[in-house]
Amino acid sequence: YLNGSLTILREFMRLMCDPACDRLVQLNGLKVVRAILYLMPDAPESTPERQEVEYARLLNNQPPLAAEKESKHFAQLQIRLAKLGCIDLVVACMSSENSDIILAAVMLSVTLLEGGCRPAQDMLGNVLSQSTSQPFFQQIHQVL
């Protein structure tokens, strides 16, 4: 009954930002959020066949078809998830010591920004311009 505003997803992402969150929950949670972007379960064009194609693209680390086709629904979902806390989730998980979590966070951020979603880029830029984002940049430096 709370799906319309994605309250449960927002709360889940908030919980995954907690450093005390179980690593397996964080890792799988990052993957689930990324899968939501690929599968777009509420999109009018979402059919079981299309979801199968998108799931295969997810597994092969190919961009979602919706991003390539500049789907308005995909961009709206990117913005909605960014506003719900996906940006904070990516930044929080980048400070993990677990390389799998870091990779999953990077992959989620790429999907969140796929297709040049300007509002999501601006939100990420705002978060990263704060002094509290220092661990994010330290982790990027280590990865590179």
Side-chain angles (χ1 to χ4, degrees):
Y1 84 103
L2 297 174
N3 189 41
S5 60
L6 299 177
T7 305
I8 302 287
L9 181 59
R10 177 182 30 200
E11 183 64 17
F12 183 51
M13 288 191 290
R14 189 187 68 73
L15 291 172
M16 286 189 295
C17 289
D18 186 340
C21 182
D22 182 82
R23 288 185 175 138
L24 192 55
V25 171
Q26 279 183 325
L27 178 59
N28 287 320
L30 287 162
K31 291 178 180 182
V32 165
V33 174
R34 185 168 178 242
I36 289 169
L37 282 164
Y38 272 80
L39 301 178
M40 297 188 311
D42 292 336
E45 65 270 16
S46 183
T47 63
E49 294 79 20
R50 181 171 179 130
Q51 286 183 343
E52 286 291 328
V53 169
E54 290 290 7
Y55 186 66
R57 293 179 70 85
L58 169 71
L59 294 178
N60 291 317
N61 291 316
Q62 297 172 310
L65 284 174
E68 292 179 358
K69 295 179 181 180
E70 298 181 15
S71 163
K72 183 178 179 181
H73 186 79
F74 180 69
Q76 290 171 341
L77 183 58
Q78 288 173 301
I79 295 165
R80 192 168 184 196
L81 291 182
K83 288 180 179 178
L84 286 172
C86 197
I87 300 284
D88 296 328
L89 175 61
V90 165
V91 172
C93 288
M94 283 298 295
S95 64
S96 174
E97 294 178 9
N98 183 302
S99 61
D100 291 333
I101 291 174
I102 294 166
L103 179 59
V106 168
M107 293 173 78
L108 174 57
S109 67
V110 168
T111 305
L112 190 64
L113 302 173
E114 194 74 56
C117 184
R118 186 65 185 192
Q121 291 174 359
D122 291 343
M123 284 183 253
L124 179 61
N126 288 338
V127 170
L128 294 180
S129 66
Q130 299 171 13
S131 61
T132 56
S133 66
Q134 186 68 23
F136 176 89
F137 291 108
Q138 290 171 336
Q139 197 64 268
I140 292 291
H141 178 72
Q142 287 181 348
V143 168
L144 296 176

